[in-house]
Amino acid sequence: MSKKFKNWLKAATVRAMKTVAQTALATMSTTALITEVNWIVVASTSAMAGLLSLLTSVAGLPELKEESEVVE
């Protein structure tokens, strides 16, 4: 694996995990009580957000552009 790909994978994974956490919190906060949370909806919505985040990262990550400018 190239260093460039490893850096992209790390940055994309961090971004996706943050997106998953934010989506889960937002989805859970739509209910009045924790016992009313539909956990299947929370899990599926969060997983989809993470997948979309990874797919969006294919177009480019600003974090890596800043790093490549320094290297070049």
Side-chain angles (χ1 to χ4, degrees):
M1 238 187 278
S2 72
K3 183 176 180 173
K4 186 175 181 179
F5 179 73
K6 285 181 183 179
N7 288 342
W8 177 87
L9 186 60
K10 181 179 178 182
T13 302
V14 167
R15 180 178 278 206
M17 293 308 297
K18 287 179 181 180
T19 301
V20 168
Q22 291 169 347
T23 303
L25 288 172
T27 306
M28 287 185 287
S29 68
T30 61
T31 60
L33 300 171
I34 194 76
T35 57
E36 295 176 0
V37 174
N38 186 337
W39 294 106
I40 294 172
V41 172
V42 171
S44 64
T45 304
S46 299
M48 181 60 75
L51 177 63
L52 291 174
S53 176
L54 286 173
L55 292 174
T56 302
S57 295
V58 171
L61 292 168
E63 301 91 324
L64 295 181
K65 289 180 182 173
E66 293 170 5
E67 184 178 296
S68 65
E69 290 172 0
V70 174
V71 174
E72 294 177 351

